[in-house]
Amino acid sequence: MQHPAPDRAALRQKLIAARLALTDRLERAVQLQSALRVFLVGRRENTIGAYWPIKGEFDPLPALYRWAEGGPEGAPRRIGLPVANRETGQLRFHVWFPGCPMEHDAYDIPKPKDTEEFAPQILVVPCLGFGPGGVRLGYGGGFFDRTLASLEPRPLIVGVGFAQGFLPLLRPGPLDTQLDAMLTEDGVMWQRP
């Protein structure tokens, strides 16, 4: 059963409210930080694109910063945050590090200011909700889906979110991009074989 657009809008509001109401959100975030760090151990990629957390989203940046610090000598690891292009509705990723200069974008979300752009090999995306087989429900703006459709080569797409966002009947929409892996505070919920 696919949720039609009006149902998805109401579903998004319910999921945001439920996430904000989680009394143990901090504990869940600590567990998800650990799950993300474990997932990244042994990965060969050196660049990750992520996001600035909003509306009670899981904050992946502490785990990613620890990952970046552990890179091999001579092959620095880079983390990027998105910068939205209003004309194309796509995201570009610019280097982020703790303390780097930031400014707010047109959507009032912090973004790196005047740092280098790069193409991420791994993309960590927030999931408001998620379904079986790597189906992701975001906020409905389509930024990540448009961006992923344009990236070559396609990065490994890792969804992160709290387990309460699991929607067993969620099916992909026509423009939805499938995740390669989904992580929650319970660990790897799904991974493409």
Side-chain angles (χ1 to χ4, degrees), residues 10 18 22 34 38 72 79 91 113 127 135 152 156 169 174-175 184:
L22 288 172
S34 178
V38 167
I79 303 165
L91 305 172
K113 181 179 180 182
C127 295
V135 178
E152 281 296 326
L156 179 76
L169 300 179
L175 303 176
T184 73

Side-chain angles (χ1 to χ4, degrees), residues 28-84:
R28 289 173 186 244
V30 169
Q31 292 172 322
L32 186 44
Q33 289 282 342
S34 178
L36 181 55
R37 285 195 313 268
V38 167
F39 180 81
L40 292 173
V41 168
R43 301 245 18 131
R44 295 179 181 260
E45 295 88 352
N46 288 322
T47 58
I48 293 180
Y51 61 93
W52 189 270
I54 59 171
K55 301 178 185 178
E57 287 175 333
F58 165 70
D59 182 356
L61 297 176
L64 296 181
Y65 185 66
R66 287 186 67 183
W67 166 83
E69 286 182 316
E73 205 57 39
R77 293 176 170 172
R78 295 189 294 172
I79 303 165
L81 290 180
V83 174

Side-chain angles (χ1 to χ4, degrees), residues 132-152:
V135 178
R136 172 186 177 265
L137 181 69
Y139 294 113
F143 285 99
F144 278 106
D145 292 315
R146 282 190 296 278
T147 301
L148 293 170
S150 71
L151 291 177
E152 281 296 326

